[in-house]
Amino acid sequence: MATANSRPTVLPGDEIDPSLIPQSKNKPLRLGPGLRHIPPNTILPTVAGQLITLPHKSSMWVEYNSNRYTPTASDLIIGTILRSGPDFYYVSLSPYTASATLPHLSFEGATKKTRPQLVPGSLVYARVTLANKHMDPELECASASTGKADGLGPLTGGMVFDVSLGFARRLLMGRSRQEGKVEVLELLGGDEGKLSFETAVGRNGKVWVGSENTKTVVIVGRALKETDEKGLGVEAQRKLVRRLVKETR
């Protein structure tokens, strides 16, 4: 069975070998970008790239170079409020993606009187609940089953930094050591950087960084951008963190 370190190249329309598909008795298979399920059991790539599988999460997707974000159900995204309608907020996900809808009451504990009052330009951390080519994407900021936000909701203060879609994916996979060893955030908050901050990572290539210290926000943003753009390994990330922290003290 393939793992994140075993990356066969796939082409559009080539059926995925069943031996490469994660099998789990407890978790349903989750297909990410670049794959399509054709009932009953066929999985086809829709783009050319490397097939990535994570057996422990029963998930798989195709890693490919793209500057355009395509919404997929369950994606975590950082969106910008465009305007408010009678029942929904209209949210921008990227310059090349149709605006998404976010119900006014899709926030933890929200009622018509207590729901967040979000103005154009406000940021939200949300989950994609519906995504297909025939309808605009739909979002939620609280689980439909539990009503809990689980970290989703309005983002106040801080700054948003644009990163590549591939880098955002790597950050969202738990900063897995298997997935490219992206450890820059841990280094910044650990003994190397000793910085205090919080982040939210959007699958649409956006990272929000919040901190009471503006310099910290700038350092974290610069570290993320440089790690992404230069494809830095762990040791290079460590050196980068040391340099940025030293420069701003």
Side-chain angles (χ1 to χ4, degrees), residues 35 37-38 47 68 77 93 107 135 141-143 148 152 157-158 162 169 174 176 188 191 202 204 225 228-229 244 247:
L35 293 173
H37 173 233
I38 299 178
V47 296
R68 179 172 181 172
I77 61 90
L93 305 184
F107 296 85
M135 300 177 64
C141 282
S143 170
K148 299 296 184 181
L152 303 180
D162 292 326
R169 274 198 296 271
S176 167
L188 287 163
D191 292 339
N204 54 333
K225 296 278 286 185
D228 179 23
E229 293 169 359
L244 291 177
E247 288 176 355

Side-chain angles (χ1 to χ4, degrees), residues 6 22 39 56 67 76 127 168 186 206 228 236:
S6 177
H56 67 288
N67 294 321
L76 296 174
R127 180 186 296 109
E186 286 88 343
K206 299 181 182 297
D228 179 23

Side-chain angles (χ1 to χ4, degrees), residues 15 31 36-44:
E15 185 172 347
L31 298 182
R36 185 176 69 168
H37 173 233
I38 299 178
N41 299 314
T42 300
I43 297 176
L44 296 179

Side-chain angles (χ1 to χ4, degrees), residues 12-213:
D14 288 350
E15 185 172 347
I16 301 296
D17 190 311
S19 66
L20 300 177
I21 301 174
Q23 305 292 330
S24 174
K25 295 181 180 179
N26 302 319
K27 298 180 181 179
L29 178 64
R30 295 178 57 186
L31 298 182
L35 293 173
R36 185 176 69 168
H37 173 233
I38 299 178
N41 299 314
T42 300
I43 297 176
L44 296 179
T46 57
V47 296
Q50 293 181 315
L51 180 68
I52 308 297
T53 64
L54 292 180
H56 67 288
K57 293 192 175 184
S58 192
S59 62
M60 60 191 300
W61 70 94
V62 177
E63 190 79 48
Y64 61 99
N65 293 324
S66 174
N67 294 321
R68 179 172 181 172
Y69 169 64
T70 302
T72 301
S74 298
D75 278 357
L76 296 174
I77 61 90
I78 293 174
T80 303
I81 300 296
L82 296 173
R83 60 186 176 88
S84 178
D87 300 303
F88 301 92
Y89 291 110
Y90 294 86
V91 184
S92 171
L93 305 184
S94 80
Y96 311 105
T97 305
S99 61
T101 56
L102 172 63
H104 287 167
L105 300 183
S106 187
F107 296 85
E108 183 172 349
T111 66
K112 289 185 177 180
K113 293 184 178 181
T114 64
R115 65 180 176 84
Q117 301 296 319
L118 302 178
V119 299
S122 299
L123 299 173
V124 291
Y125 195 36
R127 180 186 296 109
V128 178
T129 57
L130 175 67
N132 64 54
K133 62 182 180 181
H134 303 295
M135 300 177 64
D136 290 343
E138 296 181 7
L139 309 175
E140 66 179 9
C141 282
S143 170
S145 58
T146 66
K148 299 296 184 181
D150 297 325
L152 303 180
L155 296 171
T156 57
M159 293 179 63
V160 171
F161 299 90
D162 292 326
V163 297
S164 68
L165 298 182
F167 190 69
R169 274 198 296 271
R170 290 160 61 192
L171 289 172
L172 280 167
M173 293 310 296
R175 305 176 189 104
S176 167
R177 291 177 178 271
Q178 291 179 316
E179 259 307 286
K181 295 186 178 181
V182 181
E183 298 183 9
V184 65
L185 292 177
E186 286 88 343
L187 292 168
L188 287 163
D191 292 339
E192 301 288 347
K194 297 182 179 179
L195 302 178
S196 178
F197 61 93
E198 56 183 339
T199 61
V201 181
R203 175 66 184 77
N204 54 333
K206 299 181 182 297
V207 181
W208 174 84
V209 181
S211 175
E212 294 181 356
N213 189 319

